[in-house]
Amino acid sequence: MTTTGLGSLPGDDIREWTKVLLEAVDIPFLAELPARPYGDMLSRAVAVLTELAVDLQPAGWRLTGGSDPRASLDQRRARSLLAEDLDVLEELADGYTGPLKLQLTGPWTLAATIERPRGDKVLADHGARRDLAEVLALGLTDHVAEVRRRVPGAELVVQIDEPALPAVLAGAIPTASGWSKHRSVDGPGAVELLSLVTTTAPTVIHCCAARPPIEVFTKSGATGVSVDISLLGNPGWDQIALASEAGTTLYAGLVPTTGTLPNPEQAANPLIRRWRELGLDPELLKKVVITPACGLAASPSPADARARLDLLRRVVDAVGEAADA
């Protein structure tokens, strides 16, 4: 069994966090530090959109439109910050061999967040959201190639973050006026765009919202699914069972992101209990990756977040003992 985090962390010291992650988890990752300007998950995705110009407005990121593809000042700053983070990773991971994870906001969450040039979300325009997904896939391919060049011993894993996808599927994303909702997207439509970003490297799709669409993730080509176990209801567990038996890796969010730290057995119990109730093979349980419930940016301090990461390996021990019992 292995451990990893889900991307976001508190504080603004990328050098210190990179050192920590190369030691604290089995699958280290390029951290997102949203306390820094342009350090959040959306800005990270905007940074790799090399074929689309986007600027930052009071309401958030917006496509600029027109035929001039030059990046805005804000987009250039996001790209600069990503390049600086990669410089740090290249330096500190010199000689590293093993798994390494990159996180990127997925096409549906981007479409539900970024605005079109004349207002409202990209989600409202079928052609625009496909264009955005295609550009994102191209940018991800370049990003993965760059990290492979900088850390040649790394076995890259890509995490696609889709927190908004359940709301997209349910038709629950508000329009710009706030008086209505965008039309829902069906499962095949969701799979179509997601599948554009699952071909560059082994891909885990992360959604820590309630009712994550596991079947959509697996049909899109994801090799792993990442969920908050505390939010997973019966339909979700049934889909997890089918996915696990088909060879999909479960990234199980077991350690809470805030509040009192549980002991390892308390954290592990929801996974162990449901695994047994579903009659799943204990050997498959040993292949689960243990993670926090979601990103740790909301932790009150870097020290608190480090304590939650340190707990992961003790949870692995508790799950492993149960699998062997």
Side-chain angles (χ1 to χ4, degrees), residues 93-108:
D94 183 35
Y96 173 80
T97 58
L100 177 68
K101 184 161 65 67
L102 307 174
Q103 300 83 221
L104 198 66
T105 308
W108 288 108

Side-chain angles (χ1 to χ4, degrees), residues 19 24 55 65 80 88 101 111 117 127 154 175 200 223-224 238-239 262 272 274 288 314 316 322:
K19 291 178 183 177
D55 64 2
S80 177
V88 171
K101 184 161 65 67
T175 59
T200 302
T223 58
D238 290 342
Q239 292 178 25
I272 296 167
R274 293 308 300 267
V288 172
R314 300 198 297 278
V316 162

